[in-house]
Amino acid sequence: GNKMKNALWNNIFQGWNSQESETVLTLKQVPIFKGFTDKEFQDLEKLFHRRAYDAGEFVFKNRAPGEGMYIIMKGAVKITIGTRENNEQILAELSEGSFFGELALFDDDPRSANAIATVQSDLLGFFTADLMTLNDRNPQMGNKILLNLGGVLGERLRGTNQLLLESQSN
């Protein structure tokens, strides 16, 4: 009886967004892709690389060449400076739907921090080469991403400025 009931419920919900993969559902949470159509999300999905990381595994290390950004589909990542042996400082702890490393899409400066998976995690990578490909194929979509990215970076910068101001007044 129970199996039957589950099958019934699954069928009812399947029709809602059967076209939407896990990747698209994740991308929809990310402000860099706001205002995208379903068709654009499907095109975008093809440019993302899905990668699995074990707990404790580095996604990238400080001073490594920056190649692009990552979105957490499942799991958690900490952004740190220093090393685990001496004076590790945690700058941020990120969870599902968060993204990081997006500055690398603008320049090839080396990474300024480490990114380490804290639990078994699935990430979506989007690299400079992918953005270039997209810009060639669909400049309108590429521009949309860059404008949204600019907005996100501006917000993050304002947040940092705010923290600096607060730390000076203490």
Side-chain angles (χ1 to χ4, degrees):
N2 213 8
K3 215 175 189 159
M4 216 18 233
K5 200 169 85 191
N6 283 344
L8 186 71
W9 279 112
N10 286 345
N11 287 342
I12 289 173
F13 289 120
Q14 241 159 16
W16 281 4
N17 44 20
S18 50
Q19 324 79 340
E20 293 206 331
S21 66
E22 211 187 336
T23 302
V24 169
L25 289 172
T26 302
L27 295 179
K28 286 195 164 179
Q29 299 174 51
V30 179
I32 292 171
F33 310 114
K34 76 169 185 258
F36 275 39
T37 65
D38 286 344
K39 169 85 179 74
E40 285 175 324
F41 275 116
Q42 279 164 11
D43 291 346
L44 196 58
E45 177 178 16
K46 299 184 188 98
L47 295 170
F48 275 81
H49 309 270
R50 190 169 178 166
R51 294 187 177 173
Y53 294 85
D54 294 327
E57 195 178 338
F58 280 85
V59 180
F60 55 72
K61 291 188 174 174
N62 184 17
R63 290 199 277 284
E67 47 178 18
M69 67 176 276
Y70 293 87
I71 301 167
I72 304 173
M73 186 183 244
K74 199 172 100 245
V77 169
K78 63 179 178 176
I79 307 295
T80 70
I81 49 177
T83 58
R84 273 177 282 209
E85 298 80 63
N86 58 55
N87 63 21
E88 177 189 65
Q89 260 184 303
I90 296 178
L91 302 180
E93 305 209 29
L94 306 172
S95 54
E96 286 163 29
S98 300
F99 60 94
F100 58 93
E102 70 286 344
L103 273 174
L105 291 171
F106 289 107
D107 62 32
D108 357 339
D109 282 3
R111 300 289 186 183
S112 55
N114 306 304
I116 306 164
T118 52
V119 295
Q120 162 62 48
S121 301
D122 287 330
L123 305 186
L124 294 172
F126 182 63
F127 305 117
T128 312
D130 305 316
L131 186 57
M132 298 304 166
T133 303
L134 182 63
N135 262 333
D136 288 343
R137 278 193 216 151
N138 189 334
Q140 202 183 352
M141 211 159 117
N143 281 338
K144 224 192 263 196
I145 289 180
L146 289 170
L147 277 171
N148 286 344
L149 256 174
V152 164
L153 293 173
E155 249 167 72
R156 288 191 170 182
L157 195 56
R158 266 194 293 278
T160 306
N161 288 343
Q162 201 50 49
L163 286 174
L164 286 172
L165 285 172
E166 284 162 17
S167 69
Q168 281 166 3
S169 61
N170 288 341

